[in-house]
């Protein structure tokens, strides 16, 4: 089918909320598209839709390169990856924030070290404030870094605040709030604009009716 639309879905935390919201908006998502399954691509030929499962950080890459027409991804990933894609809609799901945190008794040093999974966001944030920091990229358990002396500060996702609290860390500044977004490939958006507009509008209506929140 020529006007098959391919949608990149993020595995993990966002997946279920995104699927629920999209189903509510009328997307025919089969049960086969599930995190319990090992199947990565699920196609619904009669609806002209194909879905695939990707790591959240990779969703904008698939969309920029046109291997997916649409994608669902956190704003944190969009800010970090800086991919050339259109952001069509705030889906208002999976809310959290990106914050600077650290030990409460930390004394400022000349070139503090900042550990994070989001090196670009951290770098930009401190540069805009004229603060010289050394950013150290980690892949997870970021809260460990100040506890064991790897870094003075962290830049990480905060949701309930439980991880910070249980590790004796305090949230110092919020860099930005985060929700998941619907994104589109630039040329798909031109070539398949009618279908994409219809899908985006039905999702927008569901979001504004408070769907899945
Ligand atoms: N408490 C939270 N921690 C991390 N991400 C959250 C949280 N709450 C919502 N999110 C959203 O979920 C996305 C991350 O999902 P998830 O943790 O499943 O993926 P991941 O970062 O690739 O995880 P991992 O590397 O542990 O597999 C983020 O991009 C963010 O938009
Ligand atoms: O404020 P909270 O509700 O505690 O959530 C925030 C925590 O959740 C995420 O970690 P995740 O569980 O993805 O593990 P990771 O550290 O291995 O990335 C994030 O990096 C924080 O550590």
């Amino acid at each position: 089918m020529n006007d098959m639309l391919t949608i990149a879905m993020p595995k993990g935390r966002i997946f279920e909320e995104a699927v629920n919201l999209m189903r509510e908006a009328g997307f025919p998502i089969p049960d086969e598209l599930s995190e319990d399954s090992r199947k990565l691509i699920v196609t619904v030929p009669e609806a002209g839709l194909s879905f695939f499962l990707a790591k959240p950080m990779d969703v904008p890459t698939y969309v920029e390169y046109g291997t997916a027409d649409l994608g669902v991804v956190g704003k944190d990933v969009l800010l970090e990856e800086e991919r050339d894609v259109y952001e069509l809609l705030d889906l208002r799901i999976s809310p959290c924030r990106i914050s600077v945190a650290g030990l409460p008794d930390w004394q400022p040093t000349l070139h503090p070290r900042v550990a994070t999974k989001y090196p670009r966001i951290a770098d930009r944030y401190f540069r805009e404030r004229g603060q010289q920091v050394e950013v150290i990229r980690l892949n997870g358990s970021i809260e460990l870094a100040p506890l064991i002396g790897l870094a003075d500060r962290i830049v990480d996702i905060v949701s309930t605040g439980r991880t910070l609290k249980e590790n004796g860390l305090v949230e110092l500044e919020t860099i930005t709030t985060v929700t998941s977004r619907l994104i589109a490939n630039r040329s798909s958006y031109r070539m398949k604009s009618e279908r994409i507009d219809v899908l985006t509008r039905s999702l927008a209506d569901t979001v504004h009716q408070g769907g899945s929140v």
Side-chain angles (χ1 to χ4, degrees):
M1 193 170 181
N2 193 23
D3 56 357
M4 179 73 82
L5 269 185
T6 300
I7 306 179
M9 300 291 292
K11 290 181 179 180
R13 279 194 168 87
I14 303 174
F15 180 77
E16 211 174 297
E17 266 191 284
V19 165
N20 289 343
L21 181 74
M22 289 163 81
R23 283 197 177 124
E24 252 179 81
F27 286 60
I29 303 181
D31 291 338
E32 260 183 297
L33 191 79
S34 148
E35 289 217 285
D36 302 333
S37 155
R38 299 293 302 159
K39 198 167 162 66
L40 295 173
I41 306 175
V42 173
T43 302
V44 190
E46 61 281 14
L49 287 173
S50 181
F51 302 89
F52 67 79
L53 279 172
K55 287 289 281 183
M57 280 280 188
D58 295 336
V59 166
T61 311
Y62 290 110
V63 173
E64 183 186 87
Y65 281 88
T67 44
D69 301 296
L70 296 174
V72 173
V73 70
K75 182 70 179 178
D76 52 324
V77 174
L78 290 176
L79 291 170
E80 180 61 25
E81 290 290 301
E82 296 182 317
R83 291 284 173 182
D84 188 18
V85 296
Y86 284 131
E87 191 182 310
L88 298 182
L89 183 66
D90 183 350
L91 300 171
R92 299 188 191 171
I93 55 171
S94 300
C96 54
R97 54 194 184 272
I98 303 176
S99 295
V100 183
L103 286 164
D105 56 358
W106 176 73
Q107 297 299 315
T109 57
L110 204 52
H111 296 297
R113 292 199 298 213
V114 177
T116 186
K117 212 171 165 175
Y118 300 96
R120 284 207 186 110
I121 293 174
D123 202 59
R124 216 182 298 134
Y125 180 78
F126 290 107
R127 200 155 13 91
E128 278 167 9
R129 274 152 194 79
Q131 295 174 36
Q132 281 207 342
V133 301
E134 181 185 348
V135 173
I136 302 173
R137 190 189 191 286
L138 293 177
N139 292 303
S141 299
I142 313 296
E143 291 81 1
L144 201 53
L147 303 181
I148 57 169
L150 177 69
D152 305 282
R153 288 279 187 259
I154 60 168
V155 165
D156 197 18
I157 296 273
V158 180
S159 176
T160 61
R162 184 176 161 200
T163 311
L164 290 180
K165 195 161 177 244
E166 290 194 7
N167 289 291
L169 299 171
V170 289
E171 192 172 356
L172 301 163
E173 293 144 45
T174 299
I175 297 181
T176 185
T177 54
V178 167
T179 47
S180 301
R181 311 297 161 107
L182 178 71
I183 58 171
N185 170 267
R186 286 183 180 274
S187 87
S188 302
Y189 190 66
R190 280 195 304 274
M191 314 286 287
K192 304 179 184 181
S193 60
E194 243 171 76
R195 284 201 68 199
I196 290 178
D197 277 343
V198 169
L199 293 177
T200 306
R201 244 179 281 129
S202 57
L203 268 173
D205 289 345
T206 309
V207 169
H208 292 124
Q209 285 156 18
S212 281
V213 182

